[in-house]
Amino acid sequence: MALMEFFGSILITFGPPLVLFFASVAKNPLMVIISMASAFFWLLSLLLTSLLWFAVVPLRQYLVFTLFPSIFFQEAMRLLFFKMLRNAEVGLQKMAIVEEDSPSLPGGSGGAGAGASTARPERSPSSNQVSAAAGSRDIRPLIKPGSSIFNPIMLSYVAGLGFGLMGGAMTLVNLLNEMTGPGTVGINGQPESFFLTSSLQALAMILLNIFISIIIFDAYQYRIIYAYAAAVFMHFLVAGLTLLNQIKNPSYIAYLIVAISFLVVASSVIWT
């Protein structure tokens, strides 16, 4: 029974995200690299949270002290990752501009000896010339529909998927270790649906990370401050509601209803 619950929780939490990954990301090597990079940035946020936890000894016993700084570092790493992608886009567009503007080498020689003696191969442009050629055009609106090398929606979706998968794995790893037994959940009066609801909570956070990344990337690109603030607040609120699990008789269903409500709101914002 314990192993059945173990594999069932894995499929509930990671089944839908992995289907999204293999259906829309795995076919594109560049998107796979971006998703792995975003997962690495989530691990960086975990590292910063761990350093803070080790540094402030008196507050280690309080879960709220770990939770909210963790969300703060996650959002900081998400923003840093987006800026890194924009800088990478700048480099790719500069390369495209220089390649387009560079003169082609002379073809054939006109005479027997004169053409060969007067024709000189063109020197490769220096770094200053490259910067000047790239700077002569406006390449600042990078992730803009119709002018970007990457699809902005796909880019933010892949980044959010990598963020969510790594976050879900780190959230559920300890519970998965306990699911294998020995023991039975609820034998002492605890809720028997603890593992099931925990898996659904982790799935909700994975999907919410995808929606939040899409909203934040778009808000940052077009400088929509209120949308950015609302997405970050949504992340803090949904994560903060997990603190209610510490009470004597927590209502897991209420949390799931709130999380699903925020997922519906976030998806409606994206589609509108």
Side-chain angles (χ1 to χ4, degrees), residues 19-31:
V19 169
L20 293 176
F21 178 84
F22 287 108
S24 59
V25 178
K27 300 177 183 179
N28 190 327
L30 182 59
M31 294 296 106

Side-chain angles (χ1 to χ4, degrees), residues 252-267:
Y252 300 117
I253 302 300
Y255 173 85
L256 290 176
I257 292 175
V258 173
I260 292 173
S261 300
F262 277 108
L263 286 176
V264 173
V265 171
S267 61

Side-chain angles (χ1 to χ4, degrees), residues 131-188:
S131 301
S136 61
R137 299 186 181 185
D138 185 13
I139 59 174
R140 287 175 293 177
L142 297 176
I143 306 181
K144 183 178 180 182
S147 64
S148 175
I149 297 175
F150 299 125
N151 184 334
I153 300 297
M154 185 65 179
L155 197 65
S156 55
Y157 156 74
V158 170
L161 184 60
F163 247 74
L165 281 173
M166 183 54 68
M170 293 296 104
T171 300
L172 210 63
V173 62
N174 291 329
L175 288 177
L176 291 175
N177 183 47
E178 299 294 334
M179 286 178 191
T180 56
T184 302
V185 177
I187 196 171
N188 293 324

Side-chain angles (χ1 to χ4, degrees), residues 96-254:
I97 291 172
V98 171
E99 182 178 356
E100 180 182 349
D101 291 344
S102 60
S104 58
L105 294 177
S109 58
S117 59
T118 57
R120 296 181 181 178
E122 295 288 341
R123 293 184 300 173
S124 59
S126 63
S127 59
N128 293 332
Q129 292 173 333
V130 170
S131 301
S136 61
R137 299 186 181 185
D138 185 13
I139 59 174
R140 287 175 293 177
L142 297 176
I143 306 181
K144 183 178 180 182
S147 64
S148 175
I149 297 175
F150 299 125
N151 184 334
I153 300 297
M154 185 65 179
L155 197 65
S156 55
Y157 156 74
V158 170
L161 184 60
F163 247 74
L165 281 173
M166 183 54 68
M170 293 296 104
T171 300
L172 210 63
V173 62
N174 291 329
L175 288 177
L176 291 175
N177 183 47
E178 299 294 334
M179 286 178 191
T180 56
T184 302
V185 177
I187 196 171
N188 293 324
Q190 299 90 348
E192 297 181 1
S193 60
F194 173 72
F195 287 148
L196 174 62
T197 53
S198 297
S199 302
L200 292 174
Q201 288 178 10
L203 173 61
M205 287 302 299
I206 292 175
L207 298 178
L208 189 65
N209 264 287
I210 297 175
F211 294 147
I212 287 176
S213 289
I214 297 175
I215 295 173
I216 286 180
F217 280 26
D218 186 74
Y220 180 80
Q221 173 191 350
Y222 296 108
R223 301 297 189 268
I224 308 175
I225 304 300
Y226 69 89
Y228 181 87
V232 173
F233 174 76
M234 187 187 306
H235 194 183
F236 272 95
L237 181 60
V238 175
L241 288 176
T242 58
L243 295 174
L244 298 178
N245 295 339
Q246 299 180 94
I247 63 179
K248 186 175 181 180
N249 295 313
S251 178
Y252 300 117
I253 302 300

